[in-house]
Structure formats: C-alpha cells, structure tokens
Amino acid sequence: MNTTANYHPPPSSQPPFSDSDLDSDSDSENFQVGSDLSNSIFKTYLEFSSSSSSSSSSSITAVDLSKIQSFLTSSSSGALSCLICLERIRPSDPTWSCSSLCFALFHLLCIQSWARQSSDLSAARAAARLPITAETAAKQASWNCPKCRSSYSKSEIPRCYLCFCGKLRDPPSDNPWILPHSCGEICNRPLPNNCGHFCLLLCHPGPCPSCPKSVKARCFCGSVEDFRRCGFKNFSCNKLCKKRLDCNKHNCSEICHPGTCPPCRARETYRCRCGKKEEEKDCCDRDYRCENECKKLLNCGKHVCERGCHGGDCGECPLQGNRTCPCGKRIYEGMPCDGVAPVCGATCNKLLNCGFHRCPERCHKGPCVETCRTMVKKACRCGGLKKEVPCYQDLSCERKCLRMRDCGRHACKRRCCDGDCPPCSEVCDKRLRCKNHKCPAPCHRGACAPCPIMVTISCACGETHFEVPCGTEMDHKPPKCRKLCKITPLCRHASTSKPHRCHYGACPACRAPCEEEYPCGHKCNLRCHGPRPPPNPEFTLKPKKKKSNHQTECTPGTPCPPCPELVWRPCVGEHFGAERMMVCSNTTRFSCDNLCGNLLPCGNHYCTKTCHPLETQPSSSGHQKRSESCEVCNLPCQKVRMPKCSHPCPLPCHPGECPPCKVLMKRSCHCGAMVHAFECIHYNNLSEKDQVAARSCGGPCHRKLPNCKHLCPEICHVDKCPAPDKCSKKVTVRCKCQTLKKEWICQDVQAAYRDTGNDPKDIPKNQFGLGLLPCNSDCKRKIQEVESALQLRKPKVLEKKEPENEKHGPKRRKRRDRIQEGKQVSRFQV
C-alpha cells in the first residue's frame, strides 16, 4: 500500500451524507487542521521517497509513520494525556517526551517531580544497601521512564521545555499551523541504525522513520546487489546462502539469512579422539570423546594412562622423578615409579577446608577430614547469640528481624538477620490512578509507576484511532473519520437510506417513515424505529448526560406501536346499529344494552341474556376471541309429535324431531272385558280399521244390555250392541211378595214393563222382573208366618231396677260412678 495514498487528504468530491454528518463544530475544524498538519509534516519525507524510489523498494510501510500519525490524531482529538497525573495535555503546556522506547509525552512539571522522587529513593536505597556514601549514591542515582521503564541518570532530569527535536526552547503554541510542542523546522535527528543520514520530517513526536534514501546494498549472503532504501538495505534474496561453513567442507543450505550461518548438520561417520569408537554424527559434532578411558601403556612400561578419551601422546608417567611423603615434608630421590612413598610420621599440618585450622593428624595418605571440629566461639549473624561450636557448624538464633524493609510497609521477619534485609517480596497491589488495575511491581516506597497500558479509541471502521493512557478513555471523544460507514442498516430502509460518515457508537436513526403493515391492514405512520446496529463494545465510552429537547416518537429497535387508526367496532353480540368508533389496536370489547336474541342450540327459542360475546367468534388476527355461551334452554319440549299422540316429549327442548314415543298405552277392548297395552308409536301408526281389530278381545261382548240385566251375546264389537230389545235370555218373574215365580223371555219382560208405563232401563237390577205376577191367597199366609218368625227373633229388653237406698257420698265419688256407668258395653260392641 502506498504511503502517499494513505496520508493525502480526501478528494473534494464527496458523496451525499445524512443530516447527522452536517455538524460544523470545533471537532471537525480540529480534524481538518490535524489532516493538514500531517500533510505538511510528511511532505518532505514523501517527496524525497517518491523521487528516490526504485523497483525493489517502491513502497513504505505504514509502520514507519504510525507513531507520528497516532500522535497527530490524538492531538487533533484532544486525547493527549499525561500518564502521571492523567490530565489532558494542552497545546500550551510545557512537556517532555521519552526518547528511548515509548516516546510518551508527559507534563514537564510531572516528569521533573517523578524523576526527583525516583532518584532520591534510588539513592537512599543504594546508600542503605551498598558500602558507599550518600553523596556518591546521589550522584549515581538514576530514574526510570514511567511507561517503558527506560533508565536515565540524574543529570538527565529535564530542566527546560524543548521541542521534539530538541533544537528550540519554549516552542510557540499559538500557531495553529504548527504542531503543538514542535518548532516547525526539519527534525534533522540522526536516523536509526546509524546509517549516517538525518530525519527529513518536520519536528515531530515519536521515533524517526526509516531512512528513505536509496543506496546500493547486497543481500545477506552477498550474491545479489540491488538499490534499496537505506532504512531497508538489509534484505534477503530468497536463494540458498551457499556460504562456506566452519568445517570448510560443506556450504550453507539455508535461505539467504542475516547473521552467522547455523552449524553444519551433514551426517557422516566419525571416530572419537582416541580412535576406539566410530559413530554417525553431525558435521558440527565430529570432534567428540567416547566414554572409555585411554588405558594406553605409558613410557615407563609399568603404568597405563588413566585419562579419558583424548588425542595425541599420553605424556610421561606422573610417578617418575623425585617423590615426597603424603604431607610433603620429606623428599625421596631415585624411587622407582612403581614404589610406594612411605609416610614421614610427622604431623600433617595441611590447611583444612575452613581456611583457619590445620590437620592435627600424622602424615597420612588420602585427603584430610572435610569438617573441621575445632571448638571456637562464634556469634550468630544478628549478634544476639554467642556460643562455642565446632568450626564447621554455623550458628544462628531464632529471633526474627523486626526492621522494616526498604518498602517501609512490611517487616523483615527473617530469622537471625545480619542487618542486610532483602528487598520486600510482597506484591504492591495498590490501586493505580487509572482505577482499573493494581500495581504488579514488588512492594516499594513512593508513588507507584503509572499504568503502562494504553487504550485504543477507534472509529467504527478502525481506520482512524489514537491511544490514550488507561483510566482516561472515558474523558475523550472518539476520533472523527471522513470515510463512509461500512455498517449495513438493519431496518427495512437499508436499500434507500442515505450514506453517512464513519462514526463512533451506534449509527444514527433512520428518518424515513416506517410504513410497516399491521396485521389489520393499516400502515405505521411513525418515523422508522427498526433495529439499529449495536456499537462496537470494545470502544464504548461512558455515556454523557444530555438534555433532550424533544421526545422521540418511538425507541429504535422496538416493534411498531399498536395501530392508532379509528375504526367502527361492533358490540360483542354484533347487533345491528350498536357500532362504536374505537382505536384499531384497542381490543376492548363492549356490550350494548340489547338482548342477545341469538337462536339457542335447541333451535326453538332465543337467548334472553344481555348482549354478550358469541361463541367461536373469529377475530381479525385469526385467533378466537374470548366468548360466553348463551343461556341453556330448560323448557320442556313442546313440539307436536308425528304421528300425533297425547304424550309429551320426555326430553328437554331440543333441535330436530322428537324421538319415537315408546310410552305403553292401555286400551280396553270394545266390550271392556280386558285391557291391551300398546306402544304409542306402534298403535298410532295403525290405521283406524287396524286399531279396531287390534283392540278386539275375540270373545263375547260382556257388555250389559241397556234395557235389561243381561250381557250382549255378540263377539266383542264397536259401538252399541245390536237389537237390545230382542234379548232371548230367561228371566225369573215374581210377585210383589216374591212368593210366586215364573220364567219369562227377557224381551217379554221388557214388553210387560212398557205396558205398565215403566221404562226397563229404570228398573234396578235386583228388582228386575219383580211385581209382574199378581199375588194370591198363599201369599198372605206366608207373609203372616214370616212376621211371626221375625217377632220371635227380636231380643228382650231388660228392665232397670232402682236402688233401694241411695248411697250418699262425696261429689267426686258420685261423678266417678256416673262415668263408670256410662262406660257400659253396648250390644254392638258385644
């Protein structure tokens, strides 16, 4: 990617933007000034780069200028902050920048205070721990950069306000076309890598970019020569190195690389130094030693070499020549090498390992005792205990050191401390000024180092960004980006919405009308309130409270509000003429004061309830509304059955035809002699002729003739008996006293009654035929006999006797007696 294309200002022809991009505030002006500053600062560098570019190095990486560009973006956005005080660095504030690694910018007063405190603390610590004076420690004291911890001497504490390149003291801050804290002149600092060239940029923060000049350079292996940028003159030709390796036998097989070639890894069979063993080894490991001893015969012919695997001669026998006793006091001359030197018998007197005492034993072979057991008086490290102990034994007490360590917060607590307490091993763990992290350094005196973490604040597309110290990210505005926003709107107007510039946070709300269709068929007339793309959570800042002058119609990302259109809505009973004007989304159901009037399930009667919801009433959304059933018809069935019958339907009021009547009907035969039981449906389905035939019993009529006491002699029949005046039955006729009797035919008896002017129908049954014969003399005599017999049958009446002497007694006694007399048993009871 061409650097020139990266840092040129945007073209003049701009696409149409949304209304949210038309704000003309100070931030946009600052941004334009920042872009102009970047063009002016990089102009000389880019012109020289384009004029001296070659085919092999025609592009400049954006990494060279990223630090400067980040500072420019931060400066234009007002995001420069001091790591020490976490306050904003204004263009008029005196500053100091680190020139070692981080190139961070600090307030001059803050860094001076920081450097003095750090150097004083370092001097006090060195004077306490090292055997030097306080003045020497103060001269040798150093301080560190608060961010990168680069070390500076005390003489390097800044004392004045200089520009970035260090040429101008107290640079101006009132010129808007010069970068703040800069002199506006060419930097002219030596470029990195000591190429001999100088920086061509205007006075700038951060490291100088790589040298843009073109020089003739060779690749790492030296086989290819090409013109390259001076800052990138070290390159690889991507071919085999082919340099001669250290073995002077093989060539390097790696791709052209910097530095020395790696060891030769060619595999061959090599002998060890003594020549006894052969192994396959890498060429770089060809000179090796085996694990066996040499065992070659020395020149004396009596001893063998006890050295390990080695090359060359074994040398002379070490036992030849003058020899001494084990303690070295007596010398023996002319002893053969295979002879054993005798001990002298004197005291050994060799210095023991303790370095103070000598071996008290007699001359002896082998090493002296390792532990000196001479009793000496020793003191422990802290000096609190003195005791006689063997020389080899160290003496320490159990007392804990109560001195404070150099951190000033924790005690030493080491047993038998010699006074040189070690540095505190605890973690500081104090809350840093950023209020997001804790100090990870070991426990120390003075203020903690600032939080070294830098937070990147970027626009949504990430093209424009700057870094701020941790803890200040909530106080800075996001950078302004002039590129179009790449986030696709999520509302339904994505294809027709106007483009807008890249922004921080959520996209502006769509201002088109919603026009979303409701299920009822109406359309939403509010401003678009569809979903909005969420902001990038990595760059979300603390929301700032702003007073809203107007209320939004609807919150973005929420569904459409209920339909506000007015429609005519019928009552729950859907009565004609009872409609009301209501909001379409209002699903409240109302009831009018009319009767329901709907046909009941029986199909015969109508509901008399007040207007109520109908059952299974479908709503406009397809769901069934809440309903209430009509009243239950509890009336008896009043339908006329077919075929007609006198029995009512046993079911309650019901739809459709009544079930067949199965009631048993009792019908007597025509003569009344017997009773038939018929099912109503069966009997009523018969014709009149069949009904007459079914009711006949098939026997004699058994009906009494109207004019006599005899039964009809015909078979059971309908209607009146035929010829009731012609009864042929015999009737016993008697006189009035029933003494005389004769047998007449019934029709003659009826004729006799008619002759006497009596109707036969009026004659009682027990007197039929009585009195038709005249009485004679025998009748009178018989009457007298009967009367006399009856007289004899009458019971006799007992006469009551009055008591002679009336007993006088109390009234109660008399009354009781009268009651007992009244309780006499009557004849009927007897």
Side-chain angles (χ1 to χ4, degrees):
M1 185 174 62
N2 196 342
T3 310
T4 308
N6 277 341
Y7 297 105
H8 275 320
S12 59
S13 59
Q14 294 290 342
F17 294 106
S18 62
D19 298 339
S20 62
D21 296 323
L22 302 180
D23 302 330
S24 58
D25 54 359
S26 60
D27 293 336
S28 61
E29 295 176 1
N30 291 340
F31 182 82
Q32 294 175 1
V33 172
S35 61
D36 293 337
L37 287 177
S38 64
N39 294 332
S40 62
I41 291 174
F42 301 141
K43 182 178 180 181
T44 308
Y45 181 82
L46 296 176
E47 286 179 354
F48 188 88
S49 300
S50 59
S51 63
S52 62
S53 60
S54 61
S55 60
S56 60
S57 57
S58 58
S59 64
I60 301 177
T61 59
V63 179
D64 294 333
L65 306 175
S66 61
K67 192 75 177 179
I68 308 173
Q69 185 65 31
S70 176
F71 178 87
L72 293 176
T73 306
S74 303
S75 178
S76 61
S77 302
L80 285 177
S81 299
C82 176
L83 272 177
I84 299 174
C85 64
L86 297 183
E87 296 293 335
R88 180 183 173 187
I89 299 177
R90 295 177 176 82
S92 59
D93 294 341
T95 58
W96 175 86
S97 61
C98 176
S99 58
S100 297
L101 294 175
C102 63
F103 297 93
L105 200 64
F106 305 91
H107 286 123
L108 181 62
L109 295 178
C110 293
I111 197 64
Q112 287 175 346
S113 175
W114 172 272
R116 291 191 188 98
Q117 291 179 10
S118 299
S119 58
D120 292 345
L121 184 62
S122 175
R125 189 180 304 167
R129 299 179 61 86
L130 299 176
I132 57 177
T133 62
E135 295 180 357
T136 306
K139 291 181 181 180
Q140 298 177 356
S142 62
W143 56 279
N144 299 324
C145 172
K147 184 176 181 181
C148 64
R149 312 305 294 171
S150 297
S151 181
Y152 291 91
S153 63
K154 191 173 182 179
S155 60
E156 292 178 323
I157 295 178
R159 289 176 173 79
C160 58
Y161 173 33
L162 299 175
C163 64
F164 293 115
C165 63
K167 292 184 295 186
L168 181 63
R169 184 171 181 175
D170 297 329
S173 60
D174 53 352
N175 192 345
W177 301 106
I178 295 179
L179 184 68
H181 318 293
S182 168
C183 62
E185 302 295 333
I186 294 178
C187 177
N188 210 24
R189 283 183 289 183
L191 293 177
N193 301 325
N194 297 323
C195 64
H197 303 117
F198 299 93
C199 180
L200 300 176
L201 295 178
L202 296 183
C203 182
H204 62 87
C208 296
S210 56
C211 184
K213 292 187 177 181
S214 296
V215 295
K216 195 173 185 180
R218 286 186 175 273
C219 63
F220 296 117
C221 65
S223 60
V224 176
E225 187 177 11
D226 192 8
F227 281 96
R228 292 269 174 172
R229 293 284 175 86
C230 184
F232 303 97
K233 60 186 176 183
N234 297 325
F235 68 98
S236 172
C237 63
N238 294 326
K239 298 179 181 178
L240 293 179
C241 179
K242 294 184 179 180
K243 284 184 180 179
R244 201 69 169 175
L245 298 178
D246 296 338
C247 61
N248 293 324
K249 184 178 180 182
H250 304 100
N251 296 330
C252 179
S253 60
E254 300 288 332
I255 301 297
C256 181
H257 59 87
T260 58
C261 295
C264 182
R265 297 294 178 184
R267 302 285 291 183
E268 289 186 10
T269 303
Y270 298 99
R271 285 184 176 274
C272 63
R273 291 183 180 181
C274 64
K276 293 182 180 179
K277 190 176 182 181
E278 285 187 359
E279 285 186 6
E280 186 178 1
K281 295 274 187 180
D282 292 338
C283 183
C284 58
D285 298 330
R286 60 187 179 277
D287 186 14
Y288 70 98
R289 300 173 64 183
C290 63
E291 298 84 4
N292 303 324
E293 293 182 359
C294 182
K295 296 290 180 116
K296 288 183 181 179
L297 194 64
L298 298 178
N299 295 336
C300 64
K302 298 178 181 179
H303 300 96
V304 294
C305 180
E306 296 180 354
R307 296 165 58 191
C309 179
H310 65 89
D313 294 336
C314 295
E316 299 292 335
C317 179
L319 300 178
Q320 288 181 347
N322 296 334
R323 298 170 65 186
T324 62
C325 64
C327 67
K329 294 179 180 178
R330 181 173 294 185
I331 300 175
Y332 300 99
E333 296 180 358
M335 280 190 69
C337 65
D338 55 348
V340 179
V343 294
C344 64
T347 304
C348 178
N349 208 25
K350 288 182 180 178
L351 193 64
L352 296 177
N353 294 334
C354 66
F356 299 104
H357 306 101
R358 296 184 178 273
C359 179
E361 297 181 2
R362 289 185 180 277
C363 181
H364 60 85
K365 295 180 180 180
C368 299
V369 292
E370 295 181 358
T371 57
C372 178
R373 298 184 178 276
T374 305
M375 298 298 290
V376 294
K377 191 173 184 179
K378 286 186 175 183
C380 64
R381 289 192 296 269
C382 66
L385 178 64
K386 292 183 179 181
K387 187 178 179 181
E388 284 192 358
V389 292
C391 182
Y392 74 92
Q393 185 176 348
D394 293 331
L395 181 63
S396 63
C397 65
E398 296 297 324
R399 187 172 61 179
K400 291 184 178 180
C401 180
L402 300 179
R403 294 188 183 93
M404 297 299 290
R405 295 189 180 184
D406 53 0
C407 65
R409 294 170 60 191
H410 303 100
C412 177
K413 294 185 180 180
R414 191 172 62 161
R415 296 185 185 277
C416 195
C417 180
D418 57 356
D420 186 13
C421 300
C424 185
S425 59
E426 301 287 337
V427 179
C428 178
D429 209 30
K430 286 183 181 179
R431 181 72 66 178
L432 299 178
R433 293 197 62 178
C434 66
K435 298 182 181 180
N436 297 326
H437 306 93
K438 292 183 179 180
C439 181
C443 191
H444 56 84
R445 286 180 182 270
C448 297
C451 182
I453 299 175
M454 299 295 290
V455 179
T456 301
I457 299 179
S458 171
C459 61
C461 64
E463 295 291 337
T464 306
H465 57 85
F466 58 83
E467 293 183 348
V468 296
C470 178
T472 64
E473 64 271 12
M474 297 299 180
D475 301 325
H476 297 286
K477 293 182 180 179
K480 293 284 185 178
C481 182
R482 301 182 65 84
K483 297 189 177 182
L484 293 181
C485 179
K486 300 179 182 179
I487 301 176
T488 304
L490 299 181
C491 66
R492 57 197 307 269
H493 308 103
S495 58
T496 59
S497 61
K498 293 182 180 180
H500 55 276
R501 289 177 180 172
C502 178
H503 55 86
Y504 187 90
C507 293
C510 178
R511 300 191 178 187
C514 178
E515 295 185 351
E516 183 76 19
E517 186 173 355
Y518 289 106
C520 60
H522 301 117
K523 290 186 177 180
C524 179
N525 297 325
L526 300 178
R527 183 176 291 179
C528 177
H529 47 82
R532 294 170 61 184
N536 192 346
E538 185 178 355
F539 306 126
T540 301
L541 298 180
K542 181 174 62 176
K544 297 189 176 180
K545 298 181 181 179
K546 294 183 179 180
K547 295 182 179 179
S548 58
N549 297 327
H550 64 280
Q551 292 183 351
T552 56
E553 295 178 348
C554 195
T555 305
T558 58
C560 293
C563 180
E565 299 292 335
L566 294 177
V567 294
W568 286 99
R569 189 69 54 79
C571 65
V572 293
E574 298 183 355
H575 292 110
F576 181 75
E579 294 86 357
R580 292 182 186 177
M581 182 71 74
M582 299 180 67
V583 179
C584 181
S585 59
N586 186 7
T587 58
T588 304
R589 307 172 71 189
F590 67 94
S591 172
C592 64
D593 296 333
N594 300 326
L595 297 180
C596 175
N598 288 309
L599 191 65
L600 296 179
C602 66
N604 304 319
H605 305 94
Y606 296 92
C607 180
T608 60
K609 284 185 178 181
T610 308
C611 178
H612 63 86
L614 303 179
E615 285 188 345
T616 63
Q617 181 182 9
S619 65
S620 58
S621 60
H623 302 286
Q624 287 189 352
K625 294 183 178 178
R626 192 176 173 186
S627 60
E628 178 184 350
S629 60
C630 292
E631 62 182 349
V632 179
C633 183
N634 295 322
L635 298 175
C637 182
Q638 298 175 356
K639 291 183 179 179
V640 178
R641 290 190 169 188
M642 297 301 296
K644 293 183 179 180
C645 70
S646 60
H647 305 109
C649 179
L651 300 177
C653 188
H654 60 86
E657 297 293 334
C658 296
C661 183
K662 304 231 173 151
V663 177
L664 291 178
M665 300 172 55
K666 292 184 179 180
R667 293 288 184 270
S668 63
C669 62
H670 304 300
C671 63
M674 63 182 298
V675 177
H676 297 281
F678 301 100
E679 279 189 357
C680 182
I681 182 65
H682 172 70
Y683 182 77
N684 289 331
N685 283 333
L686 297 177
S687 62
E688 186 176 357
K689 184 177 180 181
D690 293 339
Q691 286 181 1
V692 171
R695 289 182 62 180
S696 176
C697 63
C701 182
H702 289 295
R703 278 188 292 183
K704 180 183 175 182
L705 295 175
N707 297 330
C708 63
K709 61 181 181 179
H710 302 112
L711 302 179
C712 179
E714 298 293 331
I715 301 298
C716 182
H717 59 84
V718 188
D719 296 333
K720 296 180 180 180
C721 295
D725 297 339
K726 296 181 180 181
C727 179
S728 60
K729 296 290 183 179
K730 291 183 178 181
V731 178
T732 302
V733 181
R734 296 177 183 272
C735 64
K736 289 185 178 180
C737 63
Q738 299 184 6
T739 303
L740 301 178
K741 65 178 180 178
K742 286 185 180 180
E743 290 185 354
W744 288 5
I745 298 174
C746 183
Q747 59 184 354
D748 293 341
V749 175
Q750 296 178 16
Y753 276 120
R754 290 189 186 96
D755 291 342
T756 60
N758 295 323
D759 191 356
K761 296 179 181 180
D762 299 334
I763 305 302
K765 182 178 180 180
N766 56 354
Q767 295 182 4
F768 192 76
L770 184 63
L772 293 180
L773 293 180
C775 292
N776 54 16
S777 57
D778 294 333
C779 294
K780 295 179 179 180
R781 180 176 53 81
K782 190 172 183 179
I783 290 172
Q784 292 177 356
E785 291 178 357
V786 171
E787 289 178 354
S788 61
L790 290 174
Q791 190 68 24
L792 294 174
R793 291 180 182 178
K794 291 182 180 179
K796 294 180 179 181
V797 180
L798 298 177
E799 295 181 358
K800 296 183 181 179
K801 294 182 179 180
E802 297 180 358
E804 296 179 356
N805 298 323
E806 186 176 357
K807 296 181 180 180
H808 298 280
K811 290 183 178 181
R812 290 187 178 179
R813 179 70 58 84
K814 290 180 179 180
R815 185 177 181 182
R816 184 167 59 244
D817 294 342
R818 284 197 303 270
I819 292 173
Q820 289 179 357
E821 289 176 359
K823 290 184 178 181
Q824 293 179 359
V825 180
S826 64
R827 288 181 63 194
F828 178 76
Q829 290 176 347
V830 172

